[in-house]
Amino acid sequence: MSSNFYQTIDVNKSSMDIEKEIRKYWKENKIIEDILNKDRNLKRYTFLEGPPTANGRPHVGHLMTRTVKDTVMRYKYMSGYDIGRRTGGWDCHGLPVELEAEKHFGFNTKKEIEDFGIEKFNEYCRNSVFTYIDEWNEVDSEIGYWIDENKSYVTLRNDYMESEWYALKKLFDENMLVKDYKIVPYCPRCGTSLSSHEVAQGYKNTDDISVYVKFRVKGSMNRYLIAWTTTPWTLPSNELLVVNKDFDYSLVSDGNNEYYVLSSTVQSLFKDAKVLKTMKGKDLVGTRYEQLMPFLHVGSNALQVVPGDFVTAEDGTGIVHAAPAFGADDFDIAKEYNVSLINPVDSEGKFDNSVPWKDKFVMDVNPDIIGYLKENNLLFKSQKIKHTYPFCYRCGTKLLYYPLDAWFIKVSTIRELLKKNNDKVNWYPEYLKDGRFGNFLNDAKDWALSRNRYWGTPLPIWKCSNGHYLAVGSREDIEKHGGNIPDDLHRPFIDAVKLKCPECSETMEREPYVIDTWFDSGSASYAAMHYPFNKNFDTEGIPVDFITEAIDQTRGWFYTLHVISSLLFGRNAYKNVMSMSFILDENGQKMSKSKGNFVTARDFISMYGADPARLFFYTGAPWNSKSIDKKLIGDTARKVFGTLSNVYSFFASNANLDGFVFQDLEPSSNLLDRWLLSRLNSTIENTRKNMDEFDMHIALRNIMDLINDFSNYYLRLSRKRFWEGKLDDEKKRAYETLYYTLINILKLLAPLAPFYTDYMYQKLSGPEKTIHSEKYPEPDNNYIDSDLEKEFKYAISIMELSRRARQESNIKGRQVVGNIMLYSDMELNPAILDIISPELNSMDIKFIPFGERPVKTTVKPVFSKVAPVLRGDTNKFAEYLNSENIYSELKKTGKITYKGNEFTPDFFEIHEDPSPEYAFASDEKTGISVFINKNIDNNLLLAGYAREIIRRIQIMRKDLNLEYSRNIKTEINVSGDIRKSIEKFMDLIKNETLSKSIEFSSSTDGKTWDIDGENVQISITPVN
RNA sequence: GGGGUUGUAGCUUAGCUUGGUUGGAGCACCCGGCUGAUAACCGGGAGGUCACCGGUUCAAAUCCGGUCAGCCCCA
């Protein structure tokens, strides 16, 4: 009894159409809301979103990170966890926003901003932050990234900043947040210092000029110390020269002048120079020299040679020019020798009026400096160099190292704690833990936290005129100290708040800094929950279970999360962290707006569809670089979705014809069923392990292997079972196995490809329930039969070898052959051999012992050994060995006698070749050999034709959509061998096609087939 | 300069942790095909100095050392 229970589908329906339909289904049935909001009272698995800067557009790399986040959360949800903190997050502060505002207003300097007004400037910043928020939300919806966007944390909110203030006060009270005057990396355009991990993101290869400079020894007319530098502009500020006291130095003469240089550099610096004497660096210490440029007043301790271990032999002359205002090492050594800083450079990076280059940007003055040196006979030589140098990673300006007051978090004091906490984190891939990230922790530097800018979380430190400091840890603290709480904690409102000094009652003003925006995002674990002010949240949920972002966050967000959590709570911020590589363009190049190969997330989805995109991200390990590959995206999607749709279509059309509706999986004794269910459960076991270890790319591979076996072996070998007449138990088992496997494959795949799997799930189960509420499959070990899987692997190998042998001997697959002989090390279950026998298409199939293999064993001489014995008779001997029974004689007697000479087996090579009458293929790995008898006698030929006739009639039955038990009357118009074939195999053809009668006719009705060049006309008519 | 990582067929890759069998796969290329699911499919083939040089071992893609090249990080 037929039915229409299972809907027919269009197997070529595009992924994008399917996705559109499923988004509509999710929306109309409130699927996403239900899953996000339902508390199932299960164990929690917490996630933490890494906040993108909200004012940038989502690109394809974001698609990949969002896909992975979504996959992990779906998998954990289906595996029986409630997902905690399944929300978004937005990073709202910092230079990315300010630069956009500057561009909008046409500003280039801080002065322009301050003249314009910080309030108006920040108002624009606040309003522009969410320029692309709608695009982000649309992209999330399109890719199927399920997060509660209404609960997203936003770093510009007062609550978020208040939590940060709590943290900063705590650090201040613990003397971990301190003010210091140091040489810091500094951007003269942005007018602010940067932290070490910000500097790290801005290194570029660049060309520069370097100079070798002559410092005249005091009291001499022509004796010089030569120093090398890549920053000529710092020469006016020279105060010391530094040598390594353990190195060898030489005094050389070029005829006119004498020079001190590192001994190992003499030959490269001088062509013809006489070494006057050699000494250790320590012998140079104390030497005084004339000031290079007489513009700045220096102290009495300056202008001398001092020792320093940081001096190396690799570059320059072994004599280092020190300008303490512009280098950290220089700064330290100046302190050691009581040398005061002299700094002619203002905060915009321009010289002041103490040097001849007033108001000029220092980097632009290098040519003038070199000109001055030449004019004054102080330049030994100059040369261009290529080196890496730090640039502002936001605006692109070359950084200076510059003396500045700044607030620091003394991170260097907790390096051991950082490393100890890192030990508790699972890194994917693992080598990041002790490699890139571990090294970063080893060298952790004090965090230069404060920024001389406008749009950011204000540093909550107030100062009075007596130099007292107060850290404010909450809005309430402001009132407590005599201030009014502003509605908005940002500048300039917070700047207007005056407090009363608790120590001396003087008026206190806030220090004019905002903080590093990385502190914002690094505080997400607690500040997103308004801790400690939100009494509904405590820190038990820290560390969170899982975070992931791109590889650059190793020195960004992953680092700041780790540091802040260690500082505040003494422990790691996250348990599992996965780092993902970048998506490259089709040519393997990094993508950027400046290169013009930038691909937005929206464009990518429009081109390929969400599920194909998602699967593409799993075609390799997410932490390996991947190039966009249009072909691979399409192929992978078709392999998975096309094949599953086709299997479903087969199932649905047959089940409907039989009136089958799935109830439950009953135990099947059929070997094919048992094999498939074993494969399914093995795959479930492996896939769960893969997903637990964040190897979703390996999970996809395992699932794809199963789909292939399912379609090309199980279904192919099972088809006839679905065409048997009655829906008996045997047939039901087949339907049940097919259904059960299909629906479980969809569940395995659901976290990876959520749209397609929900679409197919509805076809199988109805629209009442989404697949994403289903449990992730668990393996049932009762179904796993490794021996049976191994046996089927052998059987598949036999099929493949049989095809290969036919292919090589030009025997078509449809041609029945007389016999096939198989040799194998392993015994194969005859029942399985019976299963695959239709594929082998042979009258007779049997296993044979080793000795019966139809191989011709021949004996050939080892010429290098035989020739010395037989000389001219060697070729005759080789012909003699072609005689029959030579191999038998050698085996029997252990020797061959020829012309009075006895030859033992070591004179021969034994060759085995298949007998010419057999097509042959073998696989050494499995030990299987297949021999196909090539002889096609007339009977086999006719049998082959009979199969062709049967096939044609079956196709015609299919076209008429006949039930499989329906009888027909068949009329055929044909002559010659094909007619003889029908006459000979009449009964077989009748039985196979349910033809009550087969008549030869001269009628022109029906369909004309071409069978081996012969026209065959067949007409079929249903009869009762 | 230091640290990490990568190098396998034309391209993309599995295998390396735990040494042992002809080194697997997809795509491209060549060849075949409607055997009553599937032709954007199915089937078969060819193609590999496992970057190079040494070492250890009965045996090395796999372990060790050096060199070369790419990428990332520190500076």
Side-chain angles (χ1 to χ4, degrees):
Chain A
M1 178 68 100
S2 63
S3 80
N4 285 313
F5 187 90
Y6 295 105
Q7 296 171 31
T8 57
I9 61 168
D10 174 9
V11 298
N12 291 318
K13 185 166 180 168
S14 76
S15 289
M16 282 182 261
D17 285 340
I18 290 173
E19 288 156 18
K20 190 179 302 177
E21 181 178 317
I22 292 302
R23 281 189 203 99
K24 187 166 181 277
Y25 162 75
W26 288 343
K27 185 170 183 174
E28 288 176 352
N29 293 275
K30 297 188 189 298
I31 300 295
I32 303 176
E33 290 90 330
D34 279 354
I35 285 182
L36 292 181
N37 293 325
K38 185 176 294 177
D39 193 342
R40 301 181 297 180
N41 289 318
L42 298 171
K43 194 177 182 215
R44 282 166 73 83
Y45 187 85
T46 50
F47 166 68
L48 187 65
E49 169 83 309
T53 306
N55 77 334
R57 299 183 72 189
H59 56 65
V60 64
H62 292 122
L63 268 193
M64 178 156 131
T65 60
R66 280 163 132 66
T67 294
V68 169
K69 291 170 189 177
D70 183 70
T71 294
V72 171
M73 288 192 280
R74 282 182 200 271
Y75 168 69
K76 290 295 178 181
Y77 184 87
M78 287 173 79
S79 300
Y81 292 87
D82 282 336
I83 307 300
R85 309 186 68 163
R86 196 167 183 175
T87 74
W90 300 111
D91 193 4
C92 308
H93 289 139
L95 281 168
V97 188
E98 293 201 38
L99 289 175
E100 165 61 27
E102 290 187 50
K103 196 184 300 176
H104 172 82
F105 292 119
F107 297 156
N108 286 306
T109 65
K110 289 172 67 178
K111 187 176 188 301
E112 288 173 293
I113 296 171
E114 291 172 0
D115 289 348
F116 179 75
I118 294 175
E119 180 176 347
K120 284 199 288 182
F121 183 78
N122 276 3
E123 176 75 11
Y124 179 88
C125 287
R126 171 188 288 273
N127 291 336
S128 74
V129 155
F130 297 113
T131 301
Y132 296 111
I133 192 84
D134 289 342
E135 183 170 344
W136 280 94
N137 289 337
E138 281 166 23
V139 158
D140 286 349
S141 170
E142 284 170 10
I143 199 67
Y145 180 40
W146 286 5
I147 50 170
D148 191 338
E149 274 154 353
N150 295 324
K151 293 178 180 171
S152 296
Y153 65 84
V154 180
T155 61
L156 64 70
R157 287 179 181 153
N158 281 348
D159 280 358
Y160 196 98
M161 293 191 291
E162 187 176 33
S163 291
E164 292 182 77
W165 280 12
Y166 153 81
L168 292 167
K169 175 178 162 65
K170 183 176 190 289
L171 295 175
F172 178 89
D173 291 346
E174 292 168 358
N175 199 34
M176 291 292 289
L177 174 62
V178 298
K179 189 170 187 176
D180 204 353
Y181 184 75
K182 277 189 184 183
I183 308 299
V184 294
Y186 177 86
C187 176
R189 196 218 69 90
C190 299
T192 185
S193 55
L194 293 92
S195 64
S196 58
H197 46 278
E198 289 179 304
V199 174
Q201 297 181 50
Y203 274 92
K204 290 180 189 176
N205 293 323
T206 186
D207 292 333
D208 267 313
I209 194 78
S210 71
V211 292
Y212 294 76
V213 180
K214 295 151 69 178
F215 290 86
R216 189 159 58 85
V217 172
K218 199 171 181 112
S220 82
M221 294 306 293
N222 67 340
R223 181 171 289 186
Y224 298 91
L225 298 126
I226 300 183
W228 176 76
T229 181
T230 62
T231 53
W233 65 269
T234 63
L235 286 167
S237 298
N238 171 266
E239 298 191 68
L240 294 168
L241 296 177
V242 194
V243 298
N244 189 310
K245 60 183 191 295
D246 294 324
F247 287 176
D248 289 330
Y249 292 82
S250 297
L251 179 66
V252 300
S253 172
D254 65 359
N256 289 324
N257 296 322
E258 296 172 348
Y259 305 100
Y260 287 105
V261 296
L262 193 69
S263 295
S264 62
T265 65
V266 166
Q267 295 207 9
S268 64
L269 290 173
F270 301 93
K271 275 193 174 179
D272 296 307
K274 189 177 179 185
V275 176
L276 301 182
K277 64 177 175 176
T278 301
M279 76 294 291
K280 287 293 182 184
K282 68 179 193 296
D283 297 323
L284 291 175
V285 167
T287 305
R288 303 191 74 88
Y289 60 90
E290 300 290 341
Q291 187 178 22
L292 190 76
M293 297 174 166
F295 308 126
L296 301 168
H297 178 70
V298 298
S300 60
N301 292 327
L303 305 185
Q304 64 167 314
V305 177
V306 297
D309 289 341
F310 62 87
V311 177
T312 70
E314 265 72 43
D315 293 309
T317 61
I319 301 175
V320 170
H321 138 71
F326 304 118
D329 287 330
D330 300 358
F331 179 85
D332 290 340
I333 207 159
K335 266 205 276 190
E336 186 179 346
Y337 288 92
N338 271 326
V339 172
S340 303
L341 269 60
I342 51 174
N343 179 12
V345 179
D346 68 14
S347 64
E348 290 182 11
K350 294 173 179 174
F351 281 118
D352 64 16
N353 63 0
S354 57
V355 298
W357 306 287
K358 180 182 186 296
D359 288 340
K360 286 186 176 178
F361 183 57
V362 296
M363 297 286 179
D364 297 336
V365 167
N366 283 337
D368 297 298
I369 297 282
I370 294 169
Y372 175 93
L373 294 173
K374 280 179 178 174
E375 288 168 13
N376 290 271
N377 195 26
L378 296 169
L379 183 73
F380 178 73
K381 81 172 188 177
S382 67
Q383 69 185 174
K384 288 194 174 180
I385 59 162
K386 288 180 186 291
H387 65 161
T388 59
Y389 192 87
F391 291 72
C392 180
Y393 79 121
R394 293 302 184 189
C395 78
T397 298
K398 266 184 168 178
L399 299 186
L400 313 183
Y401 284 84
Y402 192 80
L404 211 65
D405 279 323
W407 286 84
F408 294 83
I409 300 178
K410 289 157 65 175
V411 173
S412 61
T413 64
I414 60 161
R415 282 197 191 112
E416 291 308 311
L417 178 62
L418 294 176
K419 290 191 283 188
K420 193 187 80 176
N421 287 339
N422 187 35
D423 285 343
K424 300 167 190 166
V425 178
N426 299 314
W427 282 84
Y428 302 89
E430 193 189 3
Y431 57 71
L432 289 177
K433 177 172 181 169
D434 297 319
R436 185 189 297 249
F437 195 71
N439 285 338
F440 206 36
L441 299 187
N442 276 336
D443 291 334
K445 292 181 170 42
D446 290 343
W447 188 346
L449 185 75
S450 57
R451 296 287 177 277
N452 307 78
R453 294 297 302 191
Y454 310 104
W455 177 242
T457 299
L459 181 74
I461 306 267
W462 272 254
K463 180 186 180 185
C464 74
S465 55
N466 290 328
H468 299 133
Y469 288 106
L470 171 69
V472 165
S474 67
R475 279 175 278 202
E476 190 181 292
D477 271 3
I478 294 176
E479 257 182 356
K480 200 165 90 178
H481 293 286
N484 294 320
I485 304 170
D487 289 338
D488 180 1
L489 298 184
H490 285 100
R491 301 190 69 187
F493 311 109
I494 197 63
D495 297 332
V497 173
K498 310 289 189 255
L499 303 184
K500 189 174 169 188
C501 179
E503 287 184 52
C504 67
S505 298
E506 288 295 316
T507 297
M508 306 190 92
E509 295 195 346
R510 197 186 71 85
E511 289 270 90
Y513 303 106
V514 296
I515 65 170
D516 181 4
T517 190
W518 285 106
F519 193 90
D520 286 353
S521 52
S523 296
S525 67
Y526 68 96
M529 310 307 285
H530 199 207
Y531 172 84
F533 307 100
N534 174 15
K535 301 310 176 188
N536 292 325
F537 174 81
D538 60 34
T539 58
E540 256 182 40
I542 296 170
V544 298
D545 287 294
F546 171 69
I547 65 168
T548 181
E549 289 297 338
I551 187 70
D552 55 340
Q553 298 305 330
T554 315
R555 63 189 175 327
W557 189 55
F558 298 159
Y559 175 77
T560 56
L561 274 178
H562 190 72
V563 166
I564 291 170
S565 189
S566 296
L567 286 166
L568 294 187
F569 310 116
R571 62 184 185 273
N572 47 312
Y574 41 86
K575 294 175 185 171
N576 301 288
V577 53
M578 175 192 275
S579 171
M580 272 166 286
S581 192
F582 298 122
I583 301 288
L584 310 175
D585 73 6
E586 287 177 7
N587 300 315
Q589 296 291 317
K590 267 192 184 181
M591 290 188 283
S592 68
K593 293 174 196 170
S594 58
K595 277 183 189 166
N597 60 357
F598 182 87
V599 177
T600 68
R602 176 183 271 167
D603 289 341
F604 195 80
I605 300 176
S606 296
M607 270 183 276
Y608 302 114
D611 279 338
R614 288 176 70 122
L615 290 195
F616 168 65
F617 296 139
Y618 298 126
T619 55
W623 48 81
N624 286 339
S625 288
K626 177 185 304 301
S627 299
I628 295 175
D629 183 339
K630 196 174 299 182
K631 186 76 160 64
L632 180 58
I633 296 169
D635 288 352
T636 307
R638 273 194 307 279
K639 274 268 201 227
V640 175
F641 306 140
T643 304
L644 290 176
S645 292
N646 188 66
V647 169
Y648 169 80
S649 190
F650 176 89
F651 166 80
S653 61
N654 284 286
N656 286 344
L657 270 172
D658 278 318
F660 170 84
V661 178
F662 179 82
Q663 300 298 331
D664 201 1
L665 181 71
E666 299 286 342
S668 174
S669 59
N670 183 280
L671 285 169
L672 270 169
D673 294 346
R674 286 176 45 209
W675 168 63
L676 184 65
L677 292 170
S678 180
R679 278 287 284 110
L680 170 66
N681 282 276
S682 298
T683 301
I684 290 171
E685 185 170 57
N686 291 330
T687 299
R688 285 187 76 100
K689 188 197 291 184
N690 301 146
M691 296 298 287
D692 287 336
E693 292 166 4
F694 301 97
D695 284 325
M696 49 278 288
H697 59 296
I698 299 179
L700 176 60
R701 197 185 303 155
N702 286 334
I703 297 169
M704 286 180 77
D705 283 348
L706 175 60
I707 291 170
N708 180 73
D709 282 357
F710 187 19
S711 173
N712 293 324
Y713 293 106
Y714 177 82
L715 189 59
R716 185 179 172 89
L717 294 171
S718 295
R719 283 168 298 155
K720 286 202 162 53
R721 296 167 64 199
F722 295 93
W723 299 330
E724 297 298 326
K726 289 192 296 185
L727 182 58
D728 57 9
D729 282 354
E730 168 71 12
K731 196 171 186 183
K732 283 178 182 176
R733 297 297 92 80
Y735 277 120
E736 287 160 9
T737 300
L738 199 166
Y739 179 97
Y740 185 81
T741 301
L742 182 52
I743 202 163
N744 275 281
I745 287 176
L746 292 171
K747 289 176 186 176
L748 290 177
L749 203 54
L752 305 166
F755 297 93
Y756 175 84
T757 51
D758 218 358
Y759 170 78
M760 289 302 304
Y761 184 72
Q762 287 174 39
K763 306 304 174 188
L764 288 164
S765 289
E768 291 78 31
K769 195 180 182 187
T770 175
I771 197 171
H772 299 295
S773 294
E774 287 295 331
K775 290 185 178 185
Y776 204 76
E778 296 203 50
D780 185 338
N781 289 330
N782 291 322
Y783 285 109
I784 296 178
D785 187 337
S786 300
D787 291 337
L788 186 59
E789 290 193 39
K790 193 176 178 182
E791 284 191 284
F792 265 91
K793 218 174 177 78
Y794 265 64
I796 288 168
S797 186
I798 289 171
M799 289 190 291
E800 290 173 348
L801 290 169
S802 172
R803 288 171 185 152
R804 182 195 296 174
R806 280 176 181 266
Q807 189 91 21
E808 284 175 4
S809 298
N810 290 321
I811 306 170
K812 292 191 190 293
R814 66 176 182 267
Q815 173 65 61
V816 65
V817 297
N819 73 334
I820 290 179
M821 287 181 284
L822 307 169
Y823 170 75
S824 170
D825 292 328
M826 177 186 147
E827 202 75 7
L828 188 66
N829 188 333
I832 295 179
L833 186 61
D834 192 53
I835 288 171
I836 68 171
S837 65
E839 295 291 314
L840 305 186
N841 201 11
S842 172
M843 291 298 196
D844 179 55
I845 306 165
K846 65 186 179 193
F847 278 91
I848 53 172
F850 182 85
E852 287 184 28
R853 293 173 306 138
V855 294
K856 190 168 178 161
T857 312
T858 56
V859 183
K860 294 193 183 299
V862 178
F863 283 91
S864 61
K865 287 184 173 180
V866 170
V869 177
L870 291 179
R871 293 177 175 271
D873 289 323
T874 304
N875 283 338
K876 285 182 183 174
F877 183 53
E879 285 181 22
Y880 170 75
L881 290 177
N882 281 337
S883 312
E884 289 194 16
N885 299 326
I886 294 297
Y887 179 71
S888 297
E889 183 179 337
L890 183 61
K891 287 284 274 182
K892 192 186 299 177
T893 66
K895 64 183 186 225
I896 297 293
T897 304
Y898 184 75
K899 291 199 177 226
N901 298 290
E902 289 184 351
F903 296 95
T904 55
D906 57 306
F907 283 89
F908 305 110
E909 288 174 348
I910 309 300
H911 284 243
E912 285 191 336
D913 296 301
S915 300
E917 61 268 35
Y918 282 89
F920 167 77
S922 78
D923 178 24
E924 285 182 32
K925 187 191 297 182
T926 56
I928 300 171
S929 299
V930 173
F931 303 88
I932 300 177
N933 195 330
K934 284 182 185 174
N935 287 325
I936 310 295
D937 62 15
N938 189 256
N939 189 55
L940 292 174
L941 198 59
L942 296 185
Y945 287 137
R947 285 175 178 268
E948 298 273 9
I949 293 295
I950 291 169
R951 183 157 76 86
R952 296 326 194 236
I953 296 173
Q954 299 287 30
I955 291 171
M956 293 171 75
R957 288 183 64 107
K958 175 184 173 184
D959 288 345
L960 289 182
N961 214 16
L962 296 182
E963 287 175 13
Y964 294 110
S965 56
R966 189 70 186 271
N967 289 328
I968 59 170
K969 173 187 166 188
T970 303
E971 298 176 61
I972 305 176
N973 184 0
V974 70
S975 61
D977 277 346
I978 298 179
R979 177 168 179 149
K980 287 178 186 170
S981 167
I982 296 170
E983 288 167 348
K984 182 178 177 76
F985 293 99
M986 179 69 73
D987 288 342
L988 174 68
I989 297 171
K990 277 180 170 176
N991 285 339
E992 285 290 312
T993 62
L994 297 186
S995 295
K996 282 297 184 184
S997 66
I998 297 178
E999 297 176 0
F1000 291 103
S1001 163
S1002 57
S1003 170
T1004 56
D1005 287 346
K1007 188 168 180 175
T1008 303
W1009 297 95
D1010 180 341
I1011 299 177
D1012 278 7
E1014 192 81 26
N1015 279 343
V1016 184
Q1017 206 162 329
I1018 303 175
S1019 169
I1020 65 170
T1021 309
V1023 298
N1024 292 333

